Amino acid sequence: MSYDFDLFVIGAGSGGVRAARFAAGYGARVAVAESRYLGGTCVNVGCVPKKLLVYGAHFADDFEQASGFGWSLGEANFDWTTLIANKNREIERLNGIYRNLLTSSGVSLFEGHARIVDAHTVEVNGQRHSAERILIATGGWPQIPDIPGREHAISSNEAFFLKQLPKRVLVVGGGYIAVEFASIFHGLGAQTSLLYRGDLFLRGFDGAVREHLREELSKKGLDLQFNADIASIERKADGSLAATLKDGRVLEADCVFYATGRRPMLDNLGLENVEVKLDKRGYIEVDDLFQTSTPSILALGDVIGRVQLTPVALAEGMAVARRLFKPEEYRPLDYSMIPTAVFSLPNIGTVGLSEEQAIEAGHKVKIFESRFRPMKLTLTENPERTLMKLVVDADSDRVLGCHMVGPEAGEIVQGLAIALKAGATKQIFDETIGVHPSAAEEFVTLRTPVSR
């Protein structure tokens, strides 16, 4: 049977664009449909603008520390509208880059909502297109709980376009988005409270990392409220918000920001027209080859709910393109040893197993840990301390996990991720000469395991 396209991709986010570009480069006839953002969540309302706002928030610390190095500064003033306008300009530039990446690769771009008609047909803007294979890469969407007054709350989608910086912010959630935005709002000068319904945020991260970040954020004056959750939100006559907690307390704020999870973006996608199964969480079920229960339809990225990180979606997109159109270069995707960062202030960088995960997996572990004041802060009044931790298998000497809380943690851990992926042992770390003076050298000078 003859089709209009060999591959029709729904969603021009990181994974979809990567799959489309490389499939076209391998000679396939490819189309992409996108109804919202070229570049997807990451470029438009995710990683990229978030990191720009984190940079902006960090200047407060830089200005405060400058006097210790002899700098005399006048009163610092922050203008939210300038930051947002400059951010918007950069995102528009990136949108153009994504457009050019697709069109210069020979991909047909359709700007509109795509809906699956059948196993080989997609409809966009009233026009139908046939394809041998359809790839769903529509990503995720933030969720706000169904509580009275939920219409008064915002998510990360709206936070990037606020007209002004709120004076008082309640951030609700315990994942990396909540922690990052709490740091952003607090660093930019808003009175910020972080509410989480559990005992401690960042579930799944190493316990020492979670505790250390709690201590550092508290020292900075960020209000952390654990075992706390909002029951309802009410708009007051003066425009402010009153959030009633489940324990009966009432907190007043100018903005309530929810970061309590994301759902797969499957709205009006036409899945009812095909045999595509969802798992119990609502994500699309796929096999190891990213195929759904309908053989001609594939899915990847946040919509399948595996590891919801941009670089993982990129790797999945590459894997799909290679398997379908360049099989001699195809390699199954390995989800182990995926590094990640939380751009809180201070940052978190981590790769491999936490201490808790290693023990649960049956490893006999040795733990090497160091907490110290970064050299840059020794001439300042800033009491912030850095945490570095290695989780080592006691029998094989292999380093199972590497964790850091401190400045540039993501940059440092990226290099160490290569070592862990290659199977480095603690002996190799010990035999590696450090870069001096640097914080990173601490990872190769840890000698004495801590006792538990």
Side-chain angles (χ1 to χ4, degrees):
M1 181 176 177
S2 176
Y3 298 101
D4 299 329
F5 298 100
D6 300 310
L7 179 67
F8 197 108
V9 182
I10 304 177
S14 300
V17 168
R18 175 63 61 90
R21 285 179 54 216
F22 279 83
Y26 295 146
R29 297 167 302 152
V30 183
V32 171
E34 175 55 56
S35 60
R36 288 187 181 85
Y37 313 119
L38 282 175
T41 295
C42 177
V43 169
N44 294 274
V45 287
C47 338
V48 173
K50 179 266 308 281
K51 189 72 179 290
L52 294 175
L53 266 58
V54 168
Y55 283 138
H58 195 270
F59 275 99
D61 286 338
D62 292 336
F63 293 144
E64 185 178 319
Q65 296 160 16
S67 61
F69 294 88
W71 289 92
S72 298
L73 302 175
E75 183 179 355
N77 293 300
F78 170 69
D79 182 62
W80 172 263
T81 57
T82 298
L83 174 59
I84 297 303
N86 290 340
K87 180 269 297 181
N88 290 342
R89 185 164 53 250
E90 172 62 8
I91 301 309
E92 289 172 6
R93 184 184 73 85
L94 294 176
N95 291 153
I97 288 175
Y98 269 80
R99 184 185 303 277
N100 291 335
L101 284 173
L102 289 169
T103 56
S104 64
S105 299
V107 176
S108 298
L109 175 62
F110 298 98
E111 297 191 53
H113 182 80
R115 192 168 187 275
I116 297 171
V117 177
D118 59 42
H120 293 282
T121 308
V122 176
E123 183 177 296
V124 187
N125 299 330
Q127 184 176 359
R128 294 190 174 187
H129 309 273
S130 62
E132 183 175 3
R133 294 180 179 89
I134 298 168
L135 173 62
I136 301 171
T138 48
W141 200 253
Q143 294 191 99
I144 297 176
D146 188 15
I147 61 171
R150 70 185 298 275
E151 68 274 12
H152 302 309
I154 68 168
S155 69
S156 53
N157 284 359
E158 297 79 34
F160 291 112
F161 301 99
L162 289 171
K163 298 299 183 183
Q164 60 186 14
L165 177 68
K167 293 181 179 180
R168 301 167 298 173
V169 182
L170 301 181
V171 177
V172 186
Y176 69 94
I177 296 175
V179 172
E180 289 170 337
F181 269 95
S183 290
I184 289 169
F185 286 126
H186 179 69
L188 294 177
Q191 179 184 322
T192 307
S193 297
L194 175 60
L195 281 65
Y196 177 50
R197 63 184 180 182
D199 293 333
L200 186 61
F201 49 36
L202 297 177
R203 185 180 58 189
F205 283 76
D206 188 90
V209 167
R210 301 168 72 197
E211 287 287 354
H212 189 85
L213 185 67
R214 178 186 62 78
E215 294 171 8
E216 294 304 323
L217 293 180
S218 295
K219 284 193 292 188
K220 286 176 174 284
L222 180 58
D223 177 36
L224 302 178
Q225 299 199 30
F226 299 116
N227 298 303
D229 200 4
I230 294 178
S232 64
I233 305 169
E234 181 183 357
R235 174 79 68 184
K236 300 174 67 176
D238 62 0
S240 65
L241 300 174
T244 301
L245 305 192
K246 291 182 177 179
D247 62 10
R249 290 182 296 141
V250 177
L251 301 180
E252 295 188 356
D254 302 297
C255 174
V256 178
F257 173 98
Y258 265 88
T260 50
R262 298 173 66 85
R263 63 178 177 87
M265 190 56 180
L266 304 176
D267 298 2
N268 195 28
L269 193 57
L271 292 185
E272 68 277 7
N273 298 326
V274 289
E275 296 287 334
V276 172
K277 294 180 181 178
L278 306 182
D279 65 20
K280 61 183 179 181
R281 301 173 301 158
Y283 292 94
I284 294 177
E285 280 190 358
V286 295
D287 61 16
D288 291 341
L289 301 179
F290 302 101
Q291 287 189 180
T292 70
S293 44
T294 295
S296 62
I297 300 179
L298 304 93
L300 57 74
D302 287 4
V303 79
I304 65 174
R306 287 185 177 173
V307 180
Q308 298 182 50
L309 296 170
T310 293
V312 174
L314 291 170
E316 291 172 345
M318 179 70 80
V320 166
R322 283 176 171 165
R323 184 182 70 82
L324 294 180
F325 305 109
K326 194 80 168 179
E328 64 272 22
E329 293 185 6
Y330 170 69
R331 295 185 300 275
L333 189 58
D334 180 6
Y335 288 94
S336 66
M337 293 295 177
I338 295 173
T340 189
V342 180
F343 294 106
S344 49
L345 295 173
N347 297 173
I348 295 172
T350 181
V351 60
L353 300 179
S354 67
E355 179 179 351
E356 295 80 8
Q357 290 168 338
I359 293 171
E360 186 178 351
H363 295 279
K364 180 182 177 183
V365 298
K366 287 184 179 179
I367 304 299
F368 297 83
E369 190 174 295
S370 177
R371 299 171 192 258
F372 57 93
R373 195 176 185 201
M375 182 179 181
K376 181 181 178 181
L377 301 183
T378 57
L379 301 187
T380 76
E381 299 299 320
N382 192 319
E384 181 180 309
R385 296 178 68 80
T386 288
L387 165 71
M388 291 184 173
K389 178 175 180 177
L390 293 177
V391 181
V392 178
D393 183 275
D395 296 324
S396 67
D397 198 44
R398 181 173 178 175
V399 181
L400 302 173
C402 173
H403 311 280
M404 176 178 174
V405 182
E408 306 299 340
E411 305 289 345
I412 293 172
V413 167
Q414 175 66 84
L416 293 175
I418 300 172
L420 267 64
K421 192 76 172 176
T425 62
K426 181 63 168 62
Q427 182 179 347
I428 291 175
F429 272 62
D430 293 343
E431 293 175 353
T432 300
I433 296 175
V435 177
H436 183 75
S438 70
E441 69 178 315
E442 192 77 13
F443 274 119
V444 297
T445 59
L446 294 168
R447 294 291 185 268
T448 306
V450 298
S451 57
R452 287 284 192 261

